[in-house]
Amino acid sequence: MADSRLDCRDKPGNDDEKGKAVRVSDLWRDRDLREQTLRFGAERLCLWVLCSKRRCKRANACHGDPRICTHIMVEWMAAFEAERRERPDFAAMESQIETAAELRAYRAWRAALKNAF
């Protein structure tokens, strides 16, 4: 059975449960707005770098379906979160330092990290 909201193409008297007409043009406008919003976010986060499409890489911008790039970003963020949970943070590492030699080595390592970036 077809969705009754899709059959009320600007016909008077076709209102949904809330008394507000839902037109096909409104549904398309909402879809376009969502796509524009996703594309804006994808371009600001440079998600085209993660994309496998040549078109996007050549243009240095999203030229495909922004939902795909957004999904890739969600997967990356989940991987980052999983990695963060598996690895100890610096406070946990510092609490395990027992000798002065370990403390010096730890401080040298942190300084090297800081200088690397």
Side-chain angles (χ1 to χ4, degrees), residues 2-8 17 22:
D3 189 354
S4 62
R5 294 181 301 166
L6 298 178
D7 294 332
C8 58
E17 301 80 34
V22 178

Side-chain angles (χ1 to χ4, degrees), residues 67-111:
R67 292 175 298 173
I68 294 170
C69 293
T70 305
H71 181 71
I72 291 170
M73 185 63 178
V74 168
E75 290 176 354
W76 270 69
M77 295 307 291
F80 286 144
E81 180 62 20
E83 183 69 20
R84 186 190 66 79
R85 290 177 187 224
E86 287 182 20
R87 306 282 181 210
D89 60 353
F90 290 128
M93 295 169 81
E94 291 171 3
S95 69
Q96 296 173 356
I97 295 174
E98 296 177 355
T99 65
E102 287 177 346
L103 182 60
R104 282 192 301 275
Y106 172 76
R107 287 183 178 162
W109 175 70
R110 288 288 303 265

Side-chain angles (χ1 to χ4, degrees), residues 5-22:
R5 294 181 301 166
L6 298 178
D7 294 332
C8 58
R9 296 185 175 112
D10 297 329
K11 295 178 186 174
N14 287 334
D15 296 341
D16 65 1
E17 301 80 34
K18 296 180 183 175
K20 179 180 171 187
V22 178

Side-chain angles (χ1 to χ4, degrees), residues 56-69:
C56 299
K57 290 192 187 243
R58 277 195 307 261
N60 292 343
C62 181
H63 279 284
D65 186 353
R67 292 175 298 173
I68 294 170
C69 293

